[in-house]
Amino acid sequence: MAFSQRDISISAWRKVADVCRDAAVFVDDNAAELLHWAGGLELLDGCTGMYSIYKELNSIAKDFIATAPYSCVVFVVTSFLTGECSTRINQLLADLQPLHCHVFTTHSQHLHDQWTPMPGGGVDGTYSHFGEFQALLRKWINREAGVRVSVSHLPLSVVEVCPGLLITPSNSSLFPLLPSAIEEIMARCIQEGDMNCSLEHLGQVDFDMLTRPFKMELKSLAESLNSLFDGMNTREELFSLGYTSRLVASQLAALPQAKARRKVATQRCSLLLVDRTLDLFGPTTHQSDTLVDRILKTLFRPSHTSSDVCVDMSPVVGCEGVKGVARGSLAQPNDDRAQQLLKSLVHSRQKESLMEVSRCLLDSLSQEGLSVKLTGKLARPSAVQLKAFLHQFREQPGAYESQRGVLQLACAVVQALEAPSSQDWDKMASIEKVLVSCASDPSLPSVISQVTDLVKSQGSPKADLLPLSALLAVCVAMFSLLGDTCVENQRDFDQMKESVTELVLQWRDSDTEFITTTLGIDRSASRLKVQGKLSSIFKIMEGIGECRNELNQFKHIHRTRGHTPYTPVLTQLADALFNPAHPELSDVDFHSQGSMSNIIKSSFRY
């Protein structure tokens, strides 16, 4: 029997709920995000409190924990049980001194034993990292008798956001290798004794040449995917496009647990992994194709999540400016209507999504017997019209409670459309369209020189203030769009780098947080230090421009002719996969046999 990803998530969290009654539960940010999208604290009914494992507890939490009779503490983490995670568990157990402790990690014992050996552990198959860690838990609790501890694998790394969209929060920091990393890999190999190491492209880099942390990340993602297919009772056929995706697919294909699963699974599916770096134009531009894209780019995103936002619900509740009103979010896993609306916001164009939001609000008003005040045309809903619909729910607690899922999503849409930053995003989108047009016309100045002029103009008091982060995003977008043809003149590229350096040294107040936090540049840094930091960033940009050099069919996403200058890699790939008129896909690696074999055309099949 096959299960949905939501069923799998709920089943996994029930294992935690079984041991967390009257317990203090500590989670890391990724585990909190997995719980958030799966159903929230309702899934852990019975726990007395949930806290972040890595953040210092505030005074209220400390006082509560100090007076609460905790006999049990539960930890749910998405990291290996070593290093900072192990140290933090030790500290918390020393403070709380519980009788019982249960630790759940999303990494299996097999992966722990393979990649994180502990001193004193057994060898030749007798070693168990989980067993060793259980002994440490007993030592840290430091009680003579009555202590019960356990360390378990929680097969939970994937969660459903809405029908058709899954995310893996614990793997969100995994970034595909770029061609610009070859020099570093060669230097490390030579340092380790391989004096004959010579690499020309990523395809020549073996798995053993990679750093240990990066190999652990790849293994972790492969294991996450295996857990997903295991829960769905599915055997997959594997395809990949791009170097890092090829490595992940190879690890998944060779995983012992995956081989055993494929022998007994009754369902079939096809998995195609694609390096996101093959096409970063879409993600880095300011042109929002969907409303969810606009929401994520404009509304406040808490530091502990990479996939949700805070929605101000006070206008609907009728308490504008009043502190303490619970924030809304995009996550509505227990509301089927809201789930379908979120699906529309994710997959549909903005115009279609706005009409769907309007329709859902009208349905909600009708269900609650509230009056409808129409402003404007129903066929062309606007933020003003949606706000008028939302206003009808003010001081209607019963109606608000029963329709809160749809109301939170509708509020997010309105606030994204009216956000002050929306004007900046629209301005940057216009600039990007001009740059793409310049790239399509060889008679115009190069894109690099145009970007240089744009950056230099920021020094003028009359210029529109553009964030440094947005300007660098434009650079990334142009490198990804044009590939290695982006830099046709080294002198133009050097001038662009110098103009960005000058802008950083100006240290505009609006750029302070980005410069210090993201770029890692201190205000007192010298010009030489700033140039060094920016040099590594521009090297990455050049690597992004070279990502498709080894491809044949999907080498270009920019066309100088035609009505559509930008054709995404995924669009080209989908067209080539299912169009029988296309030739075999020499760029796509095939890793296993399966259900799509009679459709996909890959020379790696045979």
Side-chain angles (χ1 to χ4, degrees), residues 266-288:
T266 58
Q267 306 296 317
R268 303 171 71 184
C269 78
S270 298
L271 175 66
L272 173 58
L273 300 171
V274 182
D275 283 13
R276 177 73 269 190
T277 44
L278 293 176
D279 181 3
L280 286 175
F281 181 78
T284 54
T285 56
H286 298 73
Q287 302 169 39
S288 301

Side-chain angles (χ1 to χ4, degrees), residues 21-24 48 64-73 96-99:
R21 181 165 295 278
D22 299 325
T48 55
F64 182 77
I65 288 178
T67 57
Y70 284 129
S71 62
C72 180
V73 176
L96 299 175
Q97 289 293 299
L99 273 174

Side-chain angles (χ1 to χ4, degrees), residues 562-576:
H563 298 291
T564 308
Y566 166 58
T567 307
V569 163
L570 292 180
T571 300
Q572 296 182 47
L573 184 57
D575 179 54

Side-chain angles (χ1 to χ4, degrees), residues 23 120 155 259 280 342 345 590:
K259 290 181 178 180
L280 286 175
L342 181 57
L345 300 181
F590 180 72

Side-chain angles (χ1 to χ4, degrees), residues 299-313:
L299 298 192
F300 173 71
R301 197 182 305 184
S303 58
H304 63 271
T305 176
S306 61
S307 58
D308 206 349
V309 296
C310 286
V311 183
D312 182 10
M313 299 304 297

